[in-house]
Amino acid sequence: MFQALLLTQSDDRRTHAALAELDESQLPAGDVLVQVSHSTLNYKDGLAITGKAPVVRTWPMVPGIDFAGTVIESADTRYRAGDAVLLNGWGVGETHWGGLAQKARVKADWLLPLPAGMTAERAMAIGTAGYTAMLCVMALQAQGVTPDRGPVLVTGANGGVGSIAIALLSRAGFTVHASTGRLGEAAHLKSLGAAEVIDRATLSAPGKPLQKERWAAAVDSVGSHTLANVCASLHYGGVVAACGLAQGMDFPATVAPFILRGVTLAGVDSVMAPYARRAEAWSRLAAELPAEVLAGNTATIALGDAPAVAARLLAGQVRGRVVVDVGR
């Protein structure tokens, strides 16, 4: 038996989250059985646990799009009992039971070896948010964005993706501007590496198709009017890596930034990214993201605390990353 956070749906389509004692026989099919030690709370987890959006596709569901732990048994030769592994995405926590549990059974193709020298707790302090942030940095660099081209904007700066993107970009030599609705956190954002903090209200309302050129590039986890205004405010040849929809799925923009300034909109998907890109991202995270950055940007909670913290996360009341110690 093991503990898990189990989501069920009532006849009126309301989501209910509660700790449950489960048996291994209830786990879904997979090649590898993992003893999970740590998971995380991401924005998507918050939506799933609270039922604020139709993230969960099959019921009942164990949420948690991330986990790290140790292989118990494996039918795949790539992994053996005792191997330290991590997982991000692949529909885990949406269509396949996820990481907010003490055990998980998944496909071997979905796993990555834990980078050498990295603990499970540190991996989850990075989590899908930090992994996505690195994919965004890689996307900008693949488009030729370099520090000498000008400042880079990070929206949703106090969130998991935004906070780690600031740390990664600043340590790569970029001048980083941070957009947030919580200006009281400006000191924290500057400690991560932001050179300037701006009020998200300046970007979140409808704006002109073309605006003053302010940034060479951007990492956007917000979408909607914010993304449209960011595109309209990039330098000629600017690039924005778009990875989220905290403000909305809509994109109320025009083609003007793309055909008059040569702006590139690079979509970043972390859920189905191929193995090689994942491995590169995690290798770079292990090398480029100092442990002290994570320590000051991470809170650790018990499994039973996840529902309450998920609600706070969606209300914009959580700073940085949340690690879930599933053994607590």
Side-chain angles (χ1 to χ4, degrees):
M1 302 295 290
F2 63 94
Q3 275 203 324
L5 183 67
L6 190 67
L7 304 183
T8 56
Q9 190 177 62
S10 58
D11 291 340
D12 59 1
R13 294 184 175 272
R14 291 187 179 183
T15 299
H16 301 273
L19 285 182
E21 287 282 337
L22 302 176
D23 187 87
E24 278 185 19
S25 63
Q26 295 175 264
L27 288 168
D31 310 309
V32 185
L33 178 65
V34 178
Q35 184 75 52
V36 178
S37 65
H38 294 83
S39 186
T40 66
L41 277 183
N42 296 282
Y43 191 80
K44 186 180 284 186
D45 298 318
L47 293 173
I49 292 168
T50 61
K52 296 291 186 183
V55 170
V56 176
R57 305 303 173 88
T58 60
W59 302 91
M61 176 57 61
V62 174
I65 64 173
D66 291 324
F67 67 73
T70 306
V71 173
I72 298 173
E73 58 186 43
S74 174
D76 189 287
T77 57
R78 287 171 289 179
Y79 296 101
R80 297 180 298 178
D83 286 350
V85 293
L86 64 87
L87 180 146
N88 309 109
W90 295 114
V92 168
E94 302 174 68
T95 59
H96 188 99
W97 283 14
L100 287 172
Q102 293 170 337
K103 290 184 180 180
R105 185 182 287 123
V106 296
K107 292 183 179 180
D109 287 342
W110 298 348
L111 295 170
L112 279 175
L114 196 68
M118 181 179 286
T119 65
E121 186 171 12
R122 183 184 173 198
M124 291 298 97
I126 296 169
T128 282
Y131 152 62
T132 303
M134 178 55 83
L135 291 177
C136 289
V137 172
M138 290 163 56
L140 296 183
Q141 292 174 330
Q143 292 290 333
V145 179
T146 52
D148 61 315
R149 288 179 56 176
V152 176
L153 175 69
V154 175
T155 66
N158 270 301
V161 174
S163 57
I164 294 183
I166 291 168
L168 291 169
L169 288 164
S170 65
R171 280 154 183 79
F174 290 90
T175 298
V176 183
H177 293 179
S179 167
T180 181
R182 289 178 275 168
L183 295 177
E185 298 284 0
H188 172 64
L189 296 176
K190 288 182 177 180
S191 75
L192 291 174
E196 184 177 327
V197 178
I198 67 173
D199 190 335
R200 72 180 180 196
T202 63
L203 296 168
S204 59
K208 296 179 180 179
L210 280 179
Q211 300 170 34
K212 179 182 178 182
E213 297 180 40
R214 302 176 66 182
W215 302 290
V219 172
D220 177 67
S221 59
V222 178
S224 192
H225 291 292
T226 296
L227 177 57
N229 287 323
V230 169
C231 290
S233 302
L234 291 183
H235 294 177
Y236 189 92
V239 182
V240 55
C243 66
L245 44 69
Q247 186 181 6
M249 287 187 65
D250 58 321
F251 182 42
T254 73
V255 298
F258 310 108
I259 64 173
L260 298 179
R261 289 186 182 162
V263 165
T264 296
L265 177 57
V268 174
D269 166 58
S270 63
V271 176
M272 305 300 288
Y275 184 92
R277 192 176 304 155
R278 291 170 180 268
E280 179 185 355
W282 277 100
S283 177
R284 288 189 57 177
L285 285 162
E288 298 176 27
L289 189 62
E292 58 267 23
V293 170
L294 297 172
N297 193 52
T298 305
T300 301
I301 65 171
L303 184 59
D305 297 330
V309 178
R312 290 178 48 225
L313 189 155
L314 294 190
Q317 298 169 355
V318 174
R319 182 179 81 182
R321 300 285 297 125
V322 177
V323 172
V324 181
D325 182 341
V326 300
R328 282 171 53 181

